[in-house]
Amino acid sequence: MSKVTDKLDSMAESTGKKAEVLQSALDEINRDEQEKLDVIKQQLKDADVENLFGTKKEIKALPDTIDIDGGEKILYAANAFIETNSVLVVCTNKRVIFLDHGLIYGSKSTDIPLDMINSVSYSKGLMLGSIAVTNGVITTQIENMQSYSAKKMAETIKQAAADFKQTSAQSSPGSNLSELRELKKLLDDGIITEEEFAAKKKQILGI
């Protein structure tokens, strides 16, 4: 009987240690997530982001979306509508992110890398504004934004895209020639149009 008791005590002790290790790991994950969230909130504050009404869930999902460790930084953010979905639009120094935290499917995130953006336009209505972001032949229409937020977002995306392309061109000048050759081949093969070729050429050269 004593052997059985000793074995049960040993199992209980082992189970207790495993539970402690598991809890310690969970606590560390929670601390890491909280630290990332604190960094994101500070970045939003530094970017003078004020009204993000209705995007609390999207903001909580940002630590899993923004690559803080990789140097990604929020430049501006605003709530808006794409088609009929309410989204949080975030412009970083690497991409434009559209984050939608649904009630059923959880967080849904899509993005446009800054080097793929061809143009950004802004239009103002009586009370609200909208932005059109063109990525190749695709245009993403961002609607129902506060006029100030829409204008600032458009300006931020334009500047961020220009800065990113300029930095990329300066850091890898040798690769531009290779990209242009590949692009010309796509044009010659009829895969892209003259307009797409011209737009992508400007993008590669940062002009």
Side-chain angles (χ1 to χ4, degrees), residues 8-39:
L8 288 173
D9 290 342
S10 177
M11 289 174 64
E13 184 180 353
S14 177
T15 302
K17 287 181 179 179
K18 287 180 180 179
E20 287 178 8
V21 171
L22 179 60
Q23 186 59 51
S24 178
L26 289 173
D27 290 343
E28 186 174 346
I29 291 171
N30 289 334
R31 281 196 301 271
D32 184 56
E33 289 297 305
Q34 186 58 51
E35 286 175 4
K36 287 183 178 180
L37 187 58
D38 290 342
V39 169

Side-chain angles (χ1 to χ4, degrees), residues 52-199:
L52 289 178
F53 178 76
T55 60
K56 187 176 181 179
K57 291 181 179 178
E58 284 80 3
I59 291 173
K60 283 188 176 180
L62 282 176
D64 295 325
T65 307
I66 304 296
D67 184 15
I68 294 174
D69 296 333
E72 188 168 20
K73 181 181 179 181
I74 296 173
L75 303 178
Y76 195 61
N79 55 335
F81 278 84
I82 295 180
E83 296 177 350
T84 58
N85 296 326
S86 174
V87 299
L88 175 65
V89 184
V90 183
C91 177
T92 76
N93 57 337
K94 295 184 177 182
R95 55 188 170 148
V96 178
I97 304 167
F98 309 101
L99 188 60
D100 178 10
H101 190 94
L103 295 175
I104 299 174
Y105 54 78
S107 293
K108 180 181 178 183
S109 175
T110 57
D111 62 76
I112 305 174
L114 292 177
D115 62 340
M116 296 299 293
I117 294 175
N118 302 119
S119 65
V120 182
S121 61
Y122 158 73
S123 60
K124 180 181 177 182
L126 291 175
M127 296 179 65
L128 301 173
S130 64
I131 302 171
V133 181
T134 302
N135 166 27
V137 295
I138 301 171
T139 298
T140 302
Q141 197 73 29
I142 309 168
E143 305 280 357
N144 295 340
M145 300 177 71
Q146 294 293 326
S147 294
Y148 170 78
S149 297
K151 183 179 180 181
K152 185 168 182 179
M153 179 63 78
E155 292 172 349
T156 302
I157 295 173
K158 282 182 182 179
Q159 188 61 53
D163 291 344
F164 186 88
K165 292 169 188 175
Q166 184 177 4
T167 301
S168 298
Q170 290 173 349
S171 62
S172 56
S175 66
N176 290 344
L177 183 59
S178 176
E179 287 186 59
L180 288 172
R181 283 175 178 163
E182 289 293 328
L183 196 64
K184 183 64 166 62
K185 189 175 185 303
L186 292 176
L187 176 64
D188 293 340
D189 292 343
I191 297 175
I192 62 174
T193 65
E194 285 281 358
E195 291 78 12
E196 289 172 326
F197 172 79

